[in-house]
PDB file of all heavy atoms in Angstrom:
ATOM      1  N   THR A  79     -16.659  44.659  87.761  1.00  0.00           N
ATOM      2  CA  THR A  79     -16.193  45.973  87.325  1.00  0.00           C
ATOM      3  C   THR A  79     -17.096  46.598  86.275  1.00  0.00           C
ATOM      4  O   THR A  79     -17.075  47.808  86.085  1.00  0.00           O
ATOM      5  CB  THR A  79     -14.770  45.861  86.751  1.00  0.00           C
ATOM      6  OG1 THR A  79     -14.755  44.858  85.744  1.00  0.00           O
ATOM      7  CG2 THR A  79     -13.785  45.517  87.844  1.00  0.00           C
ATOM      8  N   ASN A  80     -17.863  45.767  85.569  1.00  0.00           N
ATOM      9  CA  ASN A  80     -18.725  46.375  84.550  1.00  0.00           C
ATOM     10  C   ASN A  80     -20.206  46.189  84.859  1.00  0.00           C
ATOM     11  O   ASN A  80     -21.044  46.319  83.989  1.00  0.00           O
ATOM     12  CB  ASN A  80     -18.388  45.815  83.163  1.00  0.00           C
ATOM     13  CG  ASN A  80     -18.797  44.369  82.981  1.00  0.00           C
ATOM     14  OD1 ASN A  80     -19.102  43.692  83.947  1.00  0.00           O
ATOM     15  ND2 ASN A  80     -18.781  43.899  81.751  1.00  0.00           N
ATOM     16  N   GLN A  81     -20.540  45.845  86.103  1.00  0.00           N
ATOM     17  CA  GLN A  81     -21.936  45.737  86.492  1.00  0.00           C
ATOM     18  C   GLN A  81     -22.601  47.106  86.344  1.00  0.00           C
ATOM     19  O   GLN A  81     -22.097  48.122  86.819  1.00  0.00           O
ATOM     20  CB  GLN A  81     -22.039  45.258  87.947  1.00  0.00           C
ATOM     21  CG  GLN A  81     -21.729  43.788  88.130  1.00  0.00           C
ATOM     22  CD  GLN A  81     -22.823  42.898  87.567  1.00  0.00           C
ATOM     23  OE1 GLN A  81     -23.939  43.366  87.322  1.00  0.00           O
ATOM     24  NE2 GLN A  81     -22.514  41.649  87.328  1.00  0.00           N
ATOM     25  N   GLY A  82     -23.733  47.141  85.668  1.00  0.00           N
ATOM     26  CA  GLY A  82     -24.500  48.372  85.546  1.00  0.00           C
ATOM     27  C   GLY A  82     -24.037  49.297  84.441  1.00  0.00           C
ATOM     28  O   GLY A  82     -24.555  50.406  84.335  1.00  0.00           O
ATOM     29  N   VAL A  83     -23.070  48.861  83.619  1.00  0.00           N
ATOM     30  CA  VAL A  83     -22.578  49.734  82.549  1.00  0.00           C
ATOM     31  C   VAL A  83     -23.686  50.041  81.556  1.00  0.00           C
ATOM     32  O   VAL A  83     -23.872  51.190  81.142  1.00  0.00           O
ATOM     33  CB  VAL A  83     -21.359  49.102  81.838  1.00  0.00           C
ATOM     34  CG1 VAL A  83     -21.008  49.875  80.580  1.00  0.00           C
ATOM     35  CG2 VAL A  83     -20.169  49.071  82.777  1.00  0.00           C
ATOM     36  N   ARG A  84     -24.440  49.021  81.163  1.00  0.00           N
ATOM     37  CA  ARG A  84     -25.513  49.252  80.191  1.00  0.00           C
ATOM     38  C   ARG A  84     -26.573  50.181  80.765  1.00  0.00           C
ATOM     39  O   ARG A  84     -27.012  51.126  80.084  1.00  0.00           O
ATOM     40  CB  ARG A  84     -26.147  47.932  79.774  1.00  0.00           C
ATOM     41  CG  ARG A  84     -27.328  48.176  78.824  1.00  0.00           C
ATOM     42  CD  ARG A  84     -27.983  46.936  78.312  1.00  0.00           C
ATOM     43  NE  ARG A  84     -29.136  47.319  77.513  1.00  0.00           N
ATOM     44  CZ  ARG A  84     -29.366  46.890  76.296  1.00  0.00           C
ATOM     45  NH1 ARG A  84     -28.514  46.075  75.702  1.00  0.00           N
ATOM     46  NH2 ARG A  84     -30.436  47.285  75.635  1.00  0.00           N
ATOM     47  N   ALA A  85     -26.991  49.935  81.996  1.00  0.00           N
ATOM     48  CA  ALA A  85     -28.015  50.785  82.612  1.00  0.00           C
ATOM     49  C   ALA A  85     -27.530  52.228  82.694  1.00  0.00           C
ATOM     50  O   ALA A  85     -28.296  53.171  82.435  1.00  0.00           O
ATOM     51  CB  ALA A  85     -28.368  50.261  83.996  1.00  0.00           C
ATOM     52  N   ARG A  86     -26.279  52.380  83.019  1.00  0.00           N
ATOM     53  CA  ARG A  86     -25.736  53.738  83.123  1.00  0.00           C
ATOM     54  C   ARG A  86     -25.674  54.401  81.750  1.00  0.00           C
ATOM     55  O   ARG A  86     -25.954  55.598  81.609  1.00  0.00           O
ATOM     56  CB  ARG A  86     -24.343  53.675  83.742  1.00  0.00           C
ATOM     57  CG  ARG A  86     -23.814  55.041  84.147  1.00  0.00           C
ATOM     58  CD  ARG A  86     -22.598  54.884  84.981  1.00  0.00           C
ATOM     59  NE  ARG A  86     -21.973  56.140  85.323  1.00  0.00           N
ATOM     60  CZ  ARG A  86     -20.789  56.233  85.891  1.00  0.00           C
ATOM     61  NH1 ARG A  86     -20.112  55.133  86.185  1.00  0.00           N
ATOM     62  NH2 ARG A  86     -20.273  57.410  86.181  1.00  0.00           N
ATOM     63  N   THR A  87     -25.303  53.624  80.743  1.00  0.00           N
ATOM     64  CA  THR A  87     -25.268  54.159  79.381  1.00  0.00           C
ATOM     65  C   THR A  87     -26.658  54.579  78.922  1.00  0.00           C
ATOM     66  O   THR A  87     -26.838  55.634  78.309  1.00  0.00           O
ATOM     67  CB  THR A  87     -24.691  53.112  78.410  1.00  0.00           C
ATOM     68  OG1 THR A  87     -23.402  52.690  78.880  1.00  0.00           O
ATOM     69  CG2 THR A  87     -24.550  53.684  77.014  1.00  0.00           C
ATOM     70  N   GLU A  88     -27.656  53.756  79.242  1.00  0.00           N
ATOM     71  CA  GLU A  88     -29.035  54.099  78.885  1.00  0.00           C
ATOM     72  C   GLU A  88     -29.478  55.387  79.588  1.00  0.00           C
ATOM     73  O   GLU A  88     -30.141  56.238  78.983  1.00  0.00           O
ATOM     74  CB  GLU A  88     -29.969  52.942  79.251  1.00  0.00           C
ATOM     75  CG  GLU A  88     -29.841  51.747  78.338  1.00  0.00           C
ATOM     76  CD  GLU A  88     -30.801  50.639  78.707  1.00  0.00           C
ATOM     77  OE1 GLU A  88     -30.701  50.139  79.844  1.00  0.00           O
ATOM     78  OE2 GLU A  88     -31.650  50.268  77.874  1.00  0.00           O
ATOM     79  N   GLN A  89     -29.112  55.523  80.871  1.00  0.00           N
ATOM     80  CA  GLN A  89     -29.470  56.738  81.606  1.00  0.00           C
ATOM     81  C   GLN A  89     -28.798  57.967  80.984  1.00  0.00           C
ATOM     82  O   GLN A  89     -29.424  59.024  80.860  1.00  0.00           O
ATOM     83  CB  GLN A  89     -29.049  56.591  83.065  1.00  0.00           C
ATOM     84  CG  GLN A  89     -29.847  55.563  83.846  1.00  0.00           C
ATOM     85  CD  GLN A  89     -29.264  55.304  85.237  1.00  0.00           C
ATOM     86  OE1 GLN A  89     -28.325  55.977  85.658  1.00  0.00           O
ATOM     87  NE2 GLN A  89     -29.809  54.313  85.935  1.00  0.00           N
ATOM     88  N   LEU A  90     -27.542  57.804  80.601  1.00  0.00           N
ATOM     89  CA  LEU A  90     -26.832  58.915  79.968  1.00  0.00           C
ATOM     90  C   LEU A  90     -27.500  59.333  78.664  1.00  0.00           C
ATOM     91  O   LEU A  90     -27.724  60.522  78.409  1.00  0.00           O
ATOM     92  CB  LEU A  90     -25.377  58.515  79.696  1.00  0.00           C
ATOM     93  CG  LEU A  90     -24.314  58.921  80.726  1.00  0.00           C
ATOM     94  CD1 LEU A  90     -22.959  58.407  80.316  1.00  0.00           C
ATOM     95  CD2 LEU A  90     -24.282  60.437  80.897  1.00  0.00           C
ATOM     96  N   LEU A  91     -27.820  58.348  77.845  1.00  0.00           N
ATOM     97  CA  LEU A  91     -28.442  58.659  76.556  1.00  0.00           C
ATOM     98  C   LEU A  91     -29.815  59.292  76.746  1.00  0.00           C
ATOM     99  O   LEU A  91     -30.187  60.208  76.002  1.00  0.00           O
ATOM    100  CB  LEU A  91     -28.557  57.386  75.711  1.00  0.00           C
ATOM    101  CG  LEU A  91     -27.244  56.833  75.142  1.00  0.00           C
ATOM    102  CD1 LEU A  91     -27.463  55.501  74.450  1.00  0.00           C
ATOM    103  CD2 LEU A  91     -26.632  57.841  74.172  1.00  0.00           C
ATOM    104  N   THR A  92     -30.564  58.804  77.720  1.00  0.00           N
ATOM    105  CA  THR A  92     -31.877  59.393  77.994  1.00  0.00           C
ATOM    106  C   THR A  92     -31.748  60.860  78.398  1.00  0.00           C
ATOM    107  O   THR A  92     -32.506  61.725  77.940  1.00  0.00           O
ATOM    108  CB  THR A  92     -32.594  58.605  79.101  1.00  0.00           C
ATOM    109  OG1 THR A  92     -32.762  57.244  78.686  1.00  0.00           O
ATOM    110  CG2 THR A  92     -33.963  59.204  79.395  1.00  0.00           C
ATOM    111  N   SER A  93     -30.765  61.143  79.272  1.00  0.00           N
ATOM    112  CA  SER A  93     -30.551  62.521  79.722  1.00  0.00           C
ATOM    113  C   SER A  93     -30.004  63.397  78.593  1.00  0.00           C
ATOM    114  O   SER A  93     -30.420  64.553  78.428  1.00  0.00           O
ATOM    115  CB  SER A  93     -29.576  62.534  80.903  1.00  0.00           C
ATOM    116  OG  SER A  93     -30.091  61.802  81.996  1.00  0.00           O
ATOM    117  N   LEU A  94     -29.082  62.851  77.795  1.00  0.00           N
ATOM    118  CA  LEU A  94     -28.465  63.634  76.728  1.00  0.00           C
ATOM    119  C   LEU A  94     -29.448  63.992  75.623  1.00  0.00           C
ATOM    120  O   LEU A  94     -29.333  65.049  74.994  1.00  0.00           O
ATOM    121  CB  LEU A  94     -27.281  62.865  76.126  1.00  0.00           C
ATOM    122  CG  LEU A  94     -26.037  62.729  77.008  1.00  0.00           C
ATOM    123  CD1 LEU A  94     -25.052  61.754  76.385  1.00  0.00           C
ATOM    124  CD2 LEU A  94     -25.374  64.092  77.211  1.00  0.00           C
ATOM    125  N   THR A  95     -30.417  63.123  75.386  1.00  0.00           N
ATOM    126  CA  THR A  95     -31.373  63.363  74.295  1.00  0.00           C
ATOM    127  C   THR A  95     -32.658  64.032  74.765  1.00  0.00           C
ATOM    128  O   THR A  95     -33.550  64.268  73.948  1.00  0.00           O
ATOM    129  CB  THR A  95     -31.722  62.030  73.601  1.00  0.00           C
ATOM    130  OG1 THR A  95     -32.208  61.095  74.581  1.00  0.00           O
ATOM    131  CG2 THR A  95     -30.499  61.437  72.919  1.00  0.00           C
ATOM    132  N   ALA A  96     -32.768  64.332  76.050  1.00  0.00           N
ATOM    133  CA  ALA A  96     -33.972  65.005  76.554  1.00  0.00           C
ATOM    134  C   ALA A  96     -34.105  66.377  75.883  1.00  0.00           C
ATOM    135  O   ALA A  96     -33.187  67.189  75.905  1.00  0.00           O
ATOM    136  CB  ALA A  96     -33.889  65.162  78.067  1.00  0.00           C
ATOM    137  N   GLY A  97     -35.259  66.615  75.283  1.00  0.00           N
ATOM    138  CA  GLY A  97     -35.487  67.878  74.593  1.00  0.00           C
ATOM    139  C   GLY A  97     -35.007  67.893  73.159  1.00  0.00           C
ATOM    140  O   GLY A  97     -35.230  68.880  72.439  1.00  0.00           O
ATOM    141  N   LEU A  98     -34.358  66.810  72.713  1.00  0.00           N
ATOM    142  CA  LEU A  98     -33.916  66.699  71.317  1.00  0.00           C
ATOM    143  C   LEU A  98     -34.875  65.784  70.568  1.00  0.00           C
ATOM    144  O   LEU A  98     -35.404  64.823  71.131  1.00  0.00           O
ATOM    145  CB  LEU A  98     -32.488  66.144  71.233  1.00  0.00           C
ATOM    146  CG  LEU A  98     -31.407  66.859  72.050  1.00  0.00           C
ATOM    147  CD1 LEU A  98     -30.049  66.262  71.746  1.00  0.00           C
ATOM    148  CD2 LEU A  98     -31.407  68.353  71.753  1.00  0.00           C
ATOM    149  N   TYR A  99     -35.090  66.052  69.318  1.00  0.00           N
ATOM    150  CA  TYR A  99     -36.032  65.279  68.525  1.00  0.00           C
ATOM    151  C   TYR A  99     -35.323  64.707  67.295  1.00  0.00           C
ATOM    152  O   TYR A  99     -34.656  65.420  66.557  1.00  0.00           O
ATOM    153  CB  TYR A  99     -37.228  66.148  68.108  1.00  0.00           C
ATOM    154  CG  TYR A  99     -38.017  66.656  69.298  1.00  0.00           C
ATOM    155  CD1 TYR A  99     -37.690  67.870  69.907  1.00  0.00           C
ATOM    156  CD2 TYR A  99     -39.053  65.900  69.842  1.00  0.00           C
ATOM    157  CE1 TYR A  99     -38.395  68.323  71.019  1.00  0.00           C
ATOM    158  CE2 TYR A  99     -39.763  66.347  70.954  1.00  0.00           C
ATOM    159  CZ  TYR A  99     -39.426  67.563  71.531  1.00  0.00           C
ATOM    160  OH  TYR A  99     -40.118  67.999  72.635  1.00  0.00           O
ATOM    161  N   GLU A 100     -35.491  63.358  67.135  1.00  0.00           N
ATOM    162  CA  GLU A 100     -34.890  62.623  66.023  1.00  0.00           C
ATOM    163  C   GLU A 100     -33.370  62.790  65.984  1.00  0.00           C
ATOM    164  O   GLU A 100     -32.757  62.857  64.921  1.00  0.00           O
ATOM    165  CB  GLU A 100     -35.518  63.056  64.687  1.00  0.00           C
ATOM    166  CG  GLU A 100     -37.005  62.763  64.599  1.00  0.00           C
ATOM    167  CD  GLU A 100     -37.603  63.095  63.242  1.00  0.00           C
ATOM    168  OE1 GLU A 100     -36.834  63.297  62.274  1.00  0.00           O
ATOM    169  OE2 GLU A 100     -38.838  63.156  63.155  1.00  0.00           O
ATOM    170  N   ARG A 101     -32.776  62.864  67.153  1.00  0.00           N
ATOM    171  CA  ARG A 101     -31.317  62.971  67.247  1.00  0.00           C
ATOM    172  C   ARG A 101     -30.744  61.867  68.142  1.00  0.00           C
ATOM    173  O   ARG A 101     -29.606  61.963  68.573  1.00  0.00           O
ATOM    174  CB  ARG A 101     -30.911  64.347  67.780  1.00  0.00           C
ATOM    175  CG  ARG A 101     -31.232  65.494  66.830  1.00  0.00           C
ATOM    176  CD  ARG A 101     -30.439  65.376  65.538  1.00  0.00           C
ATOM    177  NE  ARG A 101     -30.784  66.404  64.562  1.00  0.00           N
ATOM    178  CZ  ARG A 101     -31.609  66.211  63.545  1.00  0.00           C
ATOM    179  NH1 ARG A 101     -32.188  65.005  63.380  1.00  0.00           N
ATOM    180  NH2 ARG A 101     -31.854  67.169  62.682  1.00  0.00           N
ATOM    181  N   ASP A 102     -31.544  60.834  68.408  1.00  0.00           N
ATOM    182  CA  ASP A 102     -31.074  59.739  69.255  1.00  0.00           C
ATOM    183  C   ASP A 102     -29.879  59.026  68.637  1.00  0.00           C
ATOM    184  O   ASP A 102     -28.904  58.696  69.329  1.00  0.00           O
ATOM    185  CB  ASP A 102     -32.208  58.732  69.500  1.00  0.00           C
ATOM    186  CG  ASP A 102     -33.322  59.322  70.358  1.00  0.00           C
ATOM    187  OD1 ASP A 102     -33.251  60.519  70.661  1.00  0.00           O
ATOM    188  OD2 ASP A 102     -34.252  58.575  70.717  1.00  0.00           O
ATOM    189  N   LYS A 103     -29.956  58.760  67.325  1.00  0.00           N
ATOM    190  CA  LYS A 103     -28.853  58.066  66.669  1.00  0.00           C
ATOM    191  C   LYS A 103     -27.579  58.892  66.719  1.00  0.00           C
ATOM    192  O   LYS A 103     -26.500  58.372  67.053  1.00  0.00           O
ATOM    193  CB  LYS A 103     -29.205  57.750  65.215  1.00  0.00           C
ATOM    194  CG  LYS A 103     -28.071  57.035  64.468  1.00  0.00           C
ATOM    195  CD  LYS A 103     -28.287  57.004  62.959  1.00  0.00           C
ATOM    196  CE  LYS A 103     -29.438  56.106  62.588  1.00  0.00           C
ATOM    197  NZ  LYS A 103     -29.545  55.950  61.112  1.00  0.00           N
ATOM    198  N   ALA A 104     -27.677  60.167  66.398  1.00  0.00           N
ATOM    199  CA  ALA A 104     -26.496  61.029  66.379  1.00  0.00           C
ATOM    200  C   ALA A 104     -25.874  61.127  67.773  1.00  0.00           C
ATOM    201  O   ALA A 104     -24.651  61.025  67.926  1.00  0.00           O
ATOM    202  CB  ALA A 104     -26.867  62.416  65.869  1.00  0.00           C
ATOM    203  N   MET A 105     -26.701  61.301  68.802  1.00  0.00           N
ATOM    204  CA  MET A 105     -26.170  61.416  70.151  1.00  0.00           C
ATOM    205  C   MET A 105     -25.580  60.090  70.616  1.00  0.00           C
ATOM    206  O   MET A 105     -24.530  60.046  71.283  1.00  0.00           O
ATOM    207  CB  MET A 105     -27.263  61.880  71.117  1.00  0.00           C
ATOM    208  CG  MET A 105     -26.757  62.177  72.524  1.00  0.00           C
ATOM    209  SD  MET A 105     -25.498  63.477  72.569  1.00  0.00           S
ATOM    210  CE  MET A 105     -26.542  64.931  72.358  1.00  0.00           C
ATOM    211  N   GLY A 106     -26.240  58.995  70.271  1.00  0.00           N
ATOM    212  CA  GLY A 106     -25.734  57.687  70.646  1.00  0.00           C
ATOM    213  C   GLY A 106     -24.379  57.402  70.014  1.00  0.00           C
ATOM    214  O   GLY A 106     -23.449  56.929  70.677  1.00  0.00           O
ATOM    215  N   LEU A 107     -24.245  57.694  68.721  1.00  0.00           N
ATOM    216  CA  LEU A 107     -22.963  57.469  68.045  1.00  0.00           C
ATOM    217  C   LEU A 107     -21.891  58.415  68.564  1.00  0.00           C
ATOM    218  O   LEU A 107     -20.712  58.047  68.644  1.00  0.00           O
ATOM    219  CB  LEU A 107     -23.138  57.640  66.534  1.00  0.00           C
ATOM    220  CG  LEU A 107     -23.967  56.551  65.832  1.00  0.00           C
ATOM    221  CD1 LEU A 107     -24.182  56.904  64.371  1.00  0.00           C
ATOM    222  CD2 LEU A 107     -23.286  55.191  65.950  1.00  0.00           C
ATOM    223  N   ALA A 108     -22.280  59.635  68.913  1.00  0.00           N
ATOM    224  CA  ALA A 108     -21.316  60.586  69.470  1.00  0.00           C
ATOM    225  C   ALA A 108     -20.775  60.092  70.811  1.00  0.00           C
ATOM    226  O   ALA A 108     -19.566  60.154  71.077  1.00  0.00           O
ATOM    227  CB  ALA A 108     -21.959  61.963  69.627  1.00  0.00           C
ATOM    228  N   LEU A 109     -21.671  59.584  71.685  1.00  0.00           N
ATOM    229  CA  LEU A 109     -21.230  59.052  72.968  1.00  0.00           C
ATOM    230  C   LEU A 109     -20.364  57.809  72.772  1.00  0.00           C
ATOM    231  O   LEU A 109     -19.332  57.644  73.430  1.00  0.00           O
ATOM    232  CB  LEU A 109     -22.444  58.714  73.832  1.00  0.00           C
ATOM    233  CG  LEU A 109     -22.127  58.117  75.216  1.00  0.00           C
ATOM    234  CD1 LEU A 109     -21.341  59.100  76.069  1.00  0.00           C
ATOM    235  CD2 LEU A 109     -23.416  57.689  75.923  1.00  0.00           C
ATOM    236  N   LEU A 110     -20.777  56.935  71.849  1.00  0.00           N
ATOM    237  CA  LEU A 110     -20.024  55.711  71.576  1.00  0.00           C
ATOM    238  C   LEU A 110     -18.607  56.029  71.113  1.00  0.00           C
ATOM    239  O   LEU A 110     -17.632  55.441  71.604  1.00  0.00           O
ATOM    240  CB  LEU A 110     -20.751  54.873  70.519  1.00  0.00           C
ATOM    241  CG  LEU A 110     -20.043  53.605  70.038  1.00  0.00           C
ATOM    242  CD1 LEU A 110     -19.881  52.607  71.176  1.00  0.00           C
ATOM    243  CD2 LEU A 110     -20.810  52.972  68.872  1.00  0.00           C
ATOM    244  N   THR A 111     -18.476  56.972  70.174  1.00  0.00           N
ATOM    245  CA  THR A 111     -17.142  57.316  69.676  1.00  0.00           C
ATOM    246  C   THR A 111     -16.309  57.985  70.766  1.00  0.00           C
ATOM    247  O   THR A 111     -15.094  57.782  70.821  1.00  0.00           O
ATOM    248  CB  THR A 111     -17.242  58.243  68.448  1.00  0.00           C
ATOM    249  OG1 THR A 111     -18.059  59.379  68.774  1.00  0.00           O
ATOM    250  CG2 THR A 111     -17.852  57.523  67.261  1.00  0.00           C
ATOM    251  N   ALA A 112     -16.952  58.764  71.628  1.00  0.00           N
ATOM    252  CA  ALA A 112     -16.219  59.425  72.705  1.00  0.00           C
ATOM    253  C   ALA A 112     -15.647  58.403  73.684  1.00  0.00           C
ATOM    254  O   ALA A 112     -14.490  58.500  74.099  1.00  0.00           O
ATOM    255  CB  ALA A 112     -17.118  60.419  73.431  1.00  0.00           C
ATOM    256  N   VAL A 113     -16.458  57.403  74.064  1.00  0.00           N
ATOM    257  CA  VAL A 113     -15.976  56.366  74.975  1.00  0.00           C
ATOM    258  C   VAL A 113     -14.876  55.543  74.297  1.00  0.00           C
ATOM    259  O   VAL A 113     -13.918  55.121  74.941  1.00  0.00           O
ATOM    260  CB  VAL A 113     -17.132  55.466  75.438  1.00  0.00           C
ATOM    261  CG1 VAL A 113     -16.615  54.315  76.292  1.00  0.00           C
ATOM    262  CG2 VAL A 113     -18.154  56.281  76.226  1.00  0.00           C
ATOM    263  N   ALA A 114     -15.012  55.343  72.988  1.00  0.00           N
ATOM    264  CA  ALA A 114     -13.997  54.590  72.245  1.00  0.00           C
ATOM    265  C   ALA A 114     -12.741  55.426  71.992  1.00  0.00           C
ATOM    266  O   ALA A 114     -11.724  54.892  71.557  1.00  0.00           O
ATOM    267  CB  ALA A 114     -14.568  54.106  70.921  1.00  0.00           C
ATOM    268  N   GLY A 115     -12.830  56.740  72.246  1.00  0.00           N
ATOM    269  CA  GLY A 115     -11.696  57.618  71.993  1.00  0.00           C
ATOM    270  C   GLY A 115     -11.519  57.945  70.527  1.00  0.00           C
ATOM    271  O   GLY A 115     -10.408  58.224  70.073  1.00  0.00           O
ATOM    272  N   GLU A 116     -12.631  57.935  69.781  1.00  0.00           N
ATOM    273  CA  GLU A 116     -12.573  58.180  68.339  1.00  0.00           C
ATOM    274  C   GLU A 116     -13.291  59.482  67.993  1.00  0.00           C
ATOM    275  O   GLU A 116     -13.743  60.216  68.865  1.00  0.00           O
ATOM    276  CB  GLU A 116     -13.183  57.002  67.582  1.00  0.00           C
ATOM    277  CG  GLU A 116     -12.390  55.711  67.716  1.00  0.00           C
ATOM    278  CD  GLU A 116     -10.991  55.813  67.129  1.00  0.00           C
ATOM    279  OE1 GLU A 116     -10.754  56.709  66.297  1.00  0.00           O
ATOM    280  OE2 GLU A 116     -10.125  55.011  67.511  1.00  0.00           O
ATOM    281  N   SER A 117     -13.392  59.756  66.710  1.00  0.00           N
ATOM    282  CA  SER A 117     -13.982  61.009  66.229  1.00  0.00           C
ATOM    283  C   SER A 117     -15.180  60.707  65.338  1.00  0.00           C
ATOM    284  O   SER A 117     -15.307  59.617  64.772  1.00  0.00           O
ATOM    285  CB  SER A 117     -12.943  61.816  65.444  1.00  0.00           C
ATOM    286  OG  SER A 117     -12.402  61.030  64.401  1.00  0.00           O
ATOM    287  N   ILE A 118     -16.055  61.711  65.204  1.00  0.00           N
ATOM    288  CA  ILE A 118     -17.254  61.572  64.384  1.00  0.00           C
ATOM    289  C   ILE A 118     -17.412  62.824  63.534  1.00  0.00           C
ATOM    290  O   ILE A 118     -17.151  63.943  63.997  1.00  0.00           O
ATOM    291  CB  ILE A 118     -18.508  61.333  65.266  1.00  0.00           C
ATOM    292  CG1 ILE A 118     -19.770  61.175  64.407  1.00  0.00           C
ATOM    293  CG2 ILE A 118     -18.693  62.431  66.294  1.00  0.00           C
ATOM    294  CD1 ILE A 118     -20.995  60.751  65.209  1.00  0.00           C
ATOM    295  N   PHE A 119     -17.827  62.620  62.293  1.00  0.00           N
ATOM    296  CA  PHE A 119     -18.078  63.734  61.369  1.00  0.00           C
ATOM    297  C   PHE A 119     -19.568  63.793  61.076  1.00  0.00           C
ATOM    298  O   PHE A 119     -20.189  62.791  60.713  1.00  0.00           O
ATOM    299  CB  PHE A 119     -17.300  63.539  60.069  1.00  0.00           C
ATOM    300  CG  PHE A 119     -17.664  64.522  58.997  1.00  0.00           C
ATOM    301  CD1 PHE A 119     -17.219  65.841  59.054  1.00  0.00           C
ATOM    302  CD2 PHE A 119     -18.457  64.146  57.918  1.00  0.00           C
ATOM    303  CE1 PHE A 119     -17.560  66.754  58.063  1.00  0.00           C
ATOM    304  CE2 PHE A 119     -18.800  65.046  56.927  1.00  0.00           C
ATOM    305  CZ  PHE A 119     -18.347  66.358  56.993  1.00  0.00           C
ATOM    306  N   LEU A 120     -20.159  64.982  61.255  1.00  0.00           N
ATOM    307  CA  LEU A 120     -21.584  65.196  60.997  1.00  0.00           C
ATOM    308  C   LEU A 120     -21.733  66.025  59.731  1.00  0.00           C
ATOM    309  O   LEU A 120     -21.195  67.135  59.642  1.00  0.00           O
ATOM    310  CB  LEU A 120     -22.244  65.901  62.178  1.00  0.00           C
ATOM    311  CG  LEU A 120     -22.122  65.204  63.536  1.00  0.00           C
ATOM    312  CD1 LEU A 120     -22.771  66.052  64.623  1.00  0.00           C
ATOM    313  CD2 LEU A 120     -22.737  63.812  63.501  1.00  0.00           C
ATOM    314  N   LEU A 121     -22.462  65.483  58.779  1.00  0.00           N
ATOM    315  CA  LEU A 121     -22.707  66.173  57.508  1.00  0.00           C
ATOM    316  C   LEU A 121     -24.143  66.664  57.489  1.00  0.00           C
ATOM    317  O   LEU A 121     -25.081  65.879  57.650  1.00  0.00           O
ATOM    318  CB  LEU A 121     -22.458  65.210  56.344  1.00  0.00           C
ATOM    319  CG  LEU A 121     -22.784  65.729  54.939  1.00  0.00           C
ATOM    320  CD1 LEU A 121     -21.864  66.889  54.560  1.00  0.00           C
ATOM    321  CD2 LEU A 121     -22.679  64.601  53.910  1.00  0.00           C
TER     322      LEU A 121
END
């Protein structure tokens, strides 16, 4: 049931950060919190 989850997550992050610069951490944490059903605050 979880085969390929990591590869899919990597593909998502690659697509989400395309054209963004130095925002990999922010996008990664945003996706992580979304899958976890949590919230994130950006200062």
Side-chain angles (χ1 to χ4, degrees):
T79 53
N80 70 346
Q81 286 289 343
V83 170
R84 176 178 176 129
R86 192 169 175 190
T87 305
E88 287 181 300
Q89 291 172 6
L90 264 178
L91 288 174
T92 300
S93 299
L94 289 170
T95 55
L98 307 185
Y99 298 90
E100 298 184 14
R101 293 296 176 261
D102 292 5
K103 179 193 291 187
M105 187 60 76
L107 291 174
L109 179 62
L110 176 64
T111 53
V113 175
E116 294 297 340
S117 55
I118 180 172
F119 171 75
L120 303 177
L121 175 65

